[in-house]
Amino acid sequence: MTYEILQQYWWFIVSLLGALLVFLMFVQGANSCIRSLGWTEEGKRLVLNSTGRKWEFTFTTLVTFGGAFFASFPLFYSTSFGGAYWLWMIILFTFVLQAVSYEFQNKIGNFLGPKTFQWFLVLNGLAGPLLLGGAVATFFEGSNFIIVKENLVDAGAFTPIISRWANASHGLDALLNPWVLVFGLAVMFLARVLGILYVMNNVEDEDIRSRGSVRLIGAAIPFLILFVAYLAHLLLKDGYAYDEAGVIVMEPMKYLNNFIDMWYLLVILLIGVVMVLLGIGKTVMSKDYNCGVWPTGIGVVLVVLTLLLCAGWNHTAYYPSTADLQSSLTIVNSCSSEFTLTTMFYVSLLVPFVLAYIVYAWWSIDKKKLTKEDIHDDHSY
């Protein structure tokens, strides 16, 4: 296996983890609807116990996504996680609030009260997907950083720092780009769509299911408007390409050209969009159908996977720099050594076994629908 193939392979793995993470943010999406979806105290606890069975999956996938990026493309990790640390710290802080809130909201001695921790979960449900979506949008819109690899070999350099942020906002400046906000809001509403669909499927409660159908329309319409708007913008905008010498150049309609050159990604994208619409539409149209989370979830994974692959494959800079064009990161100039990628490749062969365990654990947890009786036992949130 050549070095080039290993680079392509590991971008696929990172993209797949990112796509799975977006799907698993149904936990955040459902939590953002706690008060409107649950309505009564029992209803709120049903929603919380439904998502409480799965929040570890989302958190673990987020950590794995970051770890995979660190191991395979360390220069991105040091540039984004090290430079845009305010953005990532806020994201991680909301996820820590989520973990604390699940564990302590109904514990004896909780002087803040359950409602305080419920509001923390709502905060995570809104801010988590919004900021993560904004971070992903910088793969297409660019970030304000500068790379100086010569610092590693410059004996006169005071500190051997390769990358630095070009301003003092350290990542928060991305939110000033309206298209970053459009994509972030699209991910936030998508998480709400997935969360509502999951709770409708997982909870055996007629009131929540009927209420969920109405809330689903309210989340799906803004998501579709925002996503279509951003997709049109993405396909028509200039993109960041690189030639055989690694020189970064601007290419008109680069991402549209990528989908034309890699037509199979376009086919997968269209299949994913159809599945998302099918899951949402069938749930809204049929009162007896509550399995929409599965076609919609699979469709989301396919759509996000193709978008991330489009951002890094076909000689595309996946992390463009708006401060210095030649500082933009590609899968070639930011990856680990061939030895590291090869070693990790053999380790990654264990991934199917891990996925099989996750599927089995998921099935074991969800084989019985959640009812009001389940929220009164000793293991409920």
Side-chain angles (χ1 to χ4, degrees):
M1 186 173 290
T2 65
Y3 195 19
E4 181 181 359
I5 293 177
L6 285 168
Q7 293 163 352
Q8 304 279 344
Y9 171 80
W10 276 104
W11 183 252
F12 172 80
I13 295 296
V14 168
S15 299
L16 180 60
L17 287 170
L20 292 172
L21 176 60
V22 173
F23 164 65
L24 289 170
M25 281 197 296
F26 69 79
V27 172
Q28 279 65 40
N31 287 342
S32 70
C33 304
I34 290 173
R35 309 187 74 83
S36 60
L37 192 58
W39 192 253
T40 64
E41 287 304 316
E42 275 193 329
K44 293 173 189 175
R45 291 201 65 185
L46 278 171
V47 174
L48 288 173
N49 278 273
S50 177
T51 59
R53 297 178 172 189
K54 294 294 187 300
W55 72 268
E56 293 97 337
F57 287 97
T58 308
F59 199 94
T60 302
T61 304
L62 175 64
V63 174
T64 305
F65 174 71
F69 238 137
F70 170 73
S72 53
F73 302 100
L75 189 52
F76 166 81
Y77 190 90
S78 65
T79 301
S80 181
F81 288 78
Y85 56 79
W86 279 122
L87 179 62
W88 289 108
M89 285 298 291
I90 293 173
I91 293 172
L92 292 175
F93 177 72
T94 64
F95 275 86
V96 171
L97 276 183
Q98 177 201 54
V100 171
S101 298
Y102 274 121
E103 296 302 326
F104 289 98
Q105 61 181 307
N106 290 309
K107 292 289 192 243
I108 297 175
N110 169 21
F111 64 93
L112 294 176
K115 289 187 177 180
T116 301
F117 288 105
Q118 288 179 11
W119 279 112
F120 286 162
L121 289 173
V122 173
L123 175 64
N124 171 251
L126 295 173
L130 173 64
L131 295 178
L132 276 172
V136 172
T138 60
F139 286 6
F140 305 104
E141 303 300 325
S143 292
N144 206 4
F145 63 89
I146 298 173
I147 302 290
V148 185
K149 290 187 176 181
E150 290 77 10
N151 282 352
L152 280 181
V153 294
D154 184 4
F158 182 71
T159 54
I161 299 175
I162 300 178
S163 58
R164 63 181 176 85
W165 219 250
N167 57 45
S169 68
H170 293 289
L172 295 180
D173 54 304
L175 300 177
L176 298 177
N177 185 330
W179 286 111
V180 170
L181 286 177
V182 167
F183 191 82
L185 288 170
V187 173
M188 185 190 77
F189 281 108
L190 172 61
R192 289 170 72 91
V193 168
L194 292 169
I196 293 168
L197 289 172
Y198 176 75
V199 172
M200 290 177 67
N201 174 259
N202 182 244
V203 175
E204 192 72 49
D205 185 82
E206 190 59 35
D207 182 57
I208 286 181
R209 288 184 176 179
S210 60
R211 192 180 298 278
S213 296
V214 179
R215 299 297 180 270
L216 180 60
I217 297 174
I221 291 176
F223 158 66
L224 292 173
I225 293 173
L226 291 165
F227 177 74
V228 170
Y230 189 82
L231 186 60
H233 160 74
L234 178 66
L235 296 178
L236 297 177
K237 75 184 295 289
D238 294 345
Y240 300 78
Y242 63 94
D243 58 22
E244 295 297 333
V247 177
I248 311 296
V249 295
M250 298 301 297
E251 180 180 321
M253 295 188 289
K254 170 61 176 172
Y255 303 103
L256 176 60
N257 294 335
N258 279 358
F259 278 117
I260 294 173
D261 294 340
M262 299 181 290
W263 57 268
Y264 46 90
L265 291 186
L266 180 59
V267 172
I268 296 172
L269 174 68
L270 294 175
I271 292 173
V273 169
V274 170
M275 294 185 71
V276 170
L277 295 175
L278 176 65
I280 296 173
K282 195 171 180 180
T283 302
V284 172
M285 298 299 293
S286 175
K287 293 183 178 179
D288 298 324
Y289 183 75
N290 59 8
C291 298
V293 65
W294 301 120
T296 300
I298 294 172
V300 166
V301 171
L302 295 179
V303 170
V304 177
L305 176 62
T306 55
L307 289 177
L308 291 177
L309 291 178
C310 182
W313 282 0
N314 199 35
H315 287 259
T316 309
Y318 70 84
Y319 199 50
S321 171
T322 57
D324 174 30
L325 187 63
Q326 299 310 313
S327 293
S328 302
L329 301 184
T330 71
I331 63 173
V332 175
N333 68 15
S334 65
C335 68
S336 295
S337 67
E338 184 174 4
F339 174 78
T340 300
L341 294 183
T342 302
T343 303
M344 288 167 46
F345 166 76
Y346 291 113
V347 174
S348 72
L349 297 179
L350 298 174
V351 169
F353 298 98
V354 177
L355 289 176
Y357 171 75
I358 292 174
V359 170
Y360 173 75
W362 189 299
W363 174 82
S364 298
I365 293 172
D366 280 359
K367 62 182 179 181
K368 179 182 178 296
K369 301 295 183 183
L370 191 66
T371 63
K372 291 181 179 179
E373 288 74 23
D374 296 320
I375 65 175
H376 298 295
D377 61 34
D378 295 335
H379 302 288
S380 64
Y381 290 107

